[in-house]
Amino acid sequence: MEREEDDLTGKGTSKFSKMFWHGGSVYDAWFSCASNQVAQVLLTLPYSFSQLGMLSGILFQLFYGLMGSWTAYLISVLYVEYRTRKEREKVDFRNHVIQWFEVLDGLLGKHWRNAGLFFNCTFLLFGSVIQLIACASNIYYINDNLDKRTWTYIFGACCATTVFIPSFHNYRIWSFLGLMMTTFTAWYLTIASLVHGQVEGVKHSGPAKMVLYFTGATNILYTFGGHAVTVEIMHAMWKPQKFKLIYLVATLYVLTLTLPSASAVYWAFGDMLLTHSNAFSLLPRSGFRDVAIILMLIHQFITFGFACTPLYFVWEKAIGMHGSKSVFKRALARLPVVVPIWFLAIIFPFFGPINSTVGSLLVSFTVYIIPALAHMLTFAPPSARENAVERPPPFLGGWAGMYSMNFFVVVWVLVVGFGFGGWASMLNFIQQVHTFGLFTKCYQCPPHKAA
């Protein structure tokens, strides 16, 4: 597992390239996890607080943050187990990026591979769609001369340039900058809301309806379900076995951004957020707001690349281009992946509600239920437990404690996330379709701009 560092940082690589392009350290992985986790969801969490209420909003963030860290840890354990088994069989991964569905295939067989491939690819597809919708929604608050649908066309073309980024090894400078941008935006939202103060007659009636409550909870489930690219990030590391607690530490940092910003914006605007899913829409225009919007636009471009890169890998493998060393040929081969993402962003431009829908129907399985079940089944045979590369953490009480945690995750997410969350988010999503229609030009724009 440690051979790739020599391959990536050999004598032929310039110092500049090593510093900004070829990343594979623990710090690179941390920046990638933290940067990928928060993204545009930062702007919809105040909307979720208006649905949940302040107390539930804070508690769900803490709860799902810990649960997301747990299942990211499970994914890392399964990756190390799979890769160790394969390398014992002399399999060479120097020109091949391991992905989650391949881990499931190697450990549990083709049916698990197919399930993992379906949920992961569909989630990443809609995750990329959400980034395009967010780009259009944000830029509109700087320049409303064009409607949001036109901005979606423009940013779809811009985001298509991510086809030239070969792999997660090459996100070193981008993930670092992305997290700095999100940090600025989070503290701008917090400070600007506190300076603005509460609007006249502000109301904090949440939670008012069960549909809204579970929609908001599922958006937070989605917030801390950004580890669908954990395997790809691990594979980009020089020493993947060091991943273990990286996602937990990244989550703790992300909570220092999401809790203050969501709480402050909800405190200031209250129920107004129920019809303003983008936090930028309620804050007065200023130089700081425009800077925050521009930084988020750049970060959403980066996050689009994070979500799309695994899809590029799957497509390359399907058409036999994954082993090519030509960046240009691989970029051309990847372009068809961007087209359906572009199209879906134009059909469903519902910034906010689409997060909850994706969270309940896709994230719940992709990064919570499937990893927990896969871990239980992989180590069900006594021989697998005896020969496990990674043992359960001592504080859990051995394998029994590990299984108890996994069982709780499966039941909770299946009932609350997929069951109640799916019901609520689909009702809310259908309501948006009935209210605004598909292909709407300008979702939640002022009336004179929606024409």
Side-chain angles (χ1 to χ4, degrees):
M1 285 194 199
E2 300 180 14
R3 289 197 304 269
E4 291 182 72
E5 183 173 8
D6 297 328
D7 297 334
L8 289 170
T9 58
K11 294 179 180 178
T13 307
S14 68
K15 289 183 179 180
F16 180 85
S17 185
K18 288 179 187 178
M19 185 176 294
F20 295 107
W21 187 248
H22 288 303
S25 69
V26 169
Y27 301 103
D28 290 310
W30 183 84
F31 277 114
S32 292
C33 288
S35 178
N36 184 53
Q37 189 177 139
V38 62
Q40 51 75 36
V41 179
L42 188 70
L43 306 176
T44 64
L45 284 174
Y47 166 67
S48 297
F49 270 48
S50 69
Q51 298 170 318
L52 289 164
M54 185 76 80
L55 179 61
S56 289
I58 292 170
L59 292 177
F60 268 116
Q61 278 203 46
L62 295 172
F63 177 65
Y64 281 133
L66 290 173
M67 187 180 286
S69 300
W70 173 254
T71 52
Y73 167 72
L74 296 180
I75 293 171
S76 73
V77 169
L78 293 171
Y79 169 86
V80 171
E81 184 71 26
Y82 167 78
R83 185 162 176 179
T84 302
R85 291 184 188 183
K86 288 296 181 182
E87 288 184 345
R88 285 171 182 166
E89 298 170 6
K90 308 299 181 186
V91 178
D92 191 343
F93 292 110
R94 279 179 294 185
N95 293 316
H96 182 92
V97 176
I98 298 172
Q99 294 188 266
W100 177 228
F101 71 91
E102 293 169 317
V103 172
L104 292 173
D105 186 22
L107 296 176
L108 295 171
K110 66 178 183 178
H111 296 301
W112 280 87
R113 175 201 65 198
N114 294 339
L117 189 61
F118 170 77
F119 281 107
N120 212 43
C121 288
T122 311
F123 165 47
L124 292 171
L125 178 77
F126 278 96
S128 304
V129 168
I130 287 169
Q131 299 311 315
L132 284 189
I133 295 171
C135 284
S137 179
N138 290 342
I139 192 64
Y140 181 79
Y141 297 115
I142 290 182
N143 184 340
D144 58 5
N145 292 323
L146 299 177
D147 59 67
K148 292 181 182 179
R149 188 168 71 189
T150 303
W151 281 119
T152 303
Y153 293 136
I154 294 169
F155 278 99
C158 294
C159 289
T161 59
T162 58
V163 297
F164 289 99
I165 302 176
S167 74
F168 282 96
H169 281 299
N170 312 115
Y171 274 96
R172 166 169 277 185
I173 188 64
W174 293 114
S175 57
F176 171 78
L177 291 174
L179 191 57
M180 295 303 100
M181 294 167 185
T182 311
T183 300
F184 176 92
T185 303
W187 286 109
Y188 157 74
L189 292 173
T190 304
I191 296 169
S193 298
L194 294 175
V195 170
H196 180 278
Q198 292 185 312
V199 296
E200 186 177 352
V202 65
K203 292 182 180 179
H204 300 89
S205 57
K209 296 180 181 179
M210 189 176 289
V211 169
L212 294 178
Y213 187 83
F214 284 105
T215 301
T218 311
N219 186 41
I220 297 179
L221 179 80
Y222 170 82
T223 302
F224 295 98
H227 45 291
V229 294
T230 297
V231 171
E232 288 83 0
I233 291 173
M234 284 187 72
H235 191 81
M237 293 177 69
W238 298 320
K239 298 177 181 179
Q241 63 271 33
K242 290 188 175 182
F243 185 86
K244 293 182 184 178
L245 296 177
I246 286 176
Y247 196 87
L248 175 61
V249 178
T251 297
L252 294 176
Y253 179 78
V254 166
L255 286 170
T256 69
L257 306 180
T258 58
L259 287 173
S261 60
S263 301
V265 177
Y266 179 53
W267 169 82
F269 298 101
D271 290 354
M272 290 177 67
L273 287 158
L274 290 170
T275 53
H276 295 79
S277 52
N278 189 329
F280 282 138
S281 64
L282 291 173
L283 289 164
R285 184 164 186 173
S286 68
F288 286 111
R289 193 192 75 161
D290 288 352
V291 169
I293 290 173
I294 292 167
L295 292 180
M296 283 303 290
L297 287 171
I298 299 170
H299 186 232
Q300 280 150 4
F301 165 81
I302 297 166
T303 309
F304 181 93
F306 269 116
C308 246
T309 299
L311 294 176
Y312 295 152
F313 292 156
V314 173
W315 178 248
E316 287 171 359
K317 291 170 185 177
I319 63 174
M321 284 292 293
H322 189 59
S324 174
K325 293 184 178 181
S326 170
V327 173
F328 186 72
K329 287 181 180 178
R330 289 176 68 188
L332 286 178
R334 291 171 169 190
L335 281 174
V337 176
V338 181
V339 176
I341 294 169
W342 210 347
F343 187 62
L344 288 167
I346 295 164
I347 298 177
F348 305 115
F350 310 126
F351 188 76
I354 194 172
N355 291 14
S356 302
T357 308
V358 171
S360 62
L361 303 183
L362 299 172
V363 175
S364 57
F365 282 95
T366 302
V367 296
Y368 292 99
I369 294 172
I370 289 178
L373 281 176
H375 189 276
M376 287 194 285
L377 292 177
T378 297
F379 295 104
S383 59
R385 295 195 295 274
E386 289 171 10
N387 299 314
V389 179
E390 295 283 345
R391 312 293 296 180
F395 66 86
L396 277 181
W399 289 103
M402 195 95 170
Y403 270 70
S404 299
M405 283 283 290
N406 290 342
F407 182 75
F408 172 78
V409 169
V410 171
V411 173
W412 178 275
V413 177
L414 193 61
V415 174
V416 178
F418 177 72
F420 287 106
W423 162 74
S425 58
M426 282 303 297
L427 283 180
N428 190 35
F429 190 83
I430 291 168
Q431 183 183 357
Q432 305 305 310
V433 174
H434 286 164
T435 304
F436 296 95
L438 301 178
F439 296 100
T440 183
K441 275 190 175 183
C442 218
Y443 177 68
Q444 288 188 342
C445 296
H448 66 285
K449 294 291 181 184

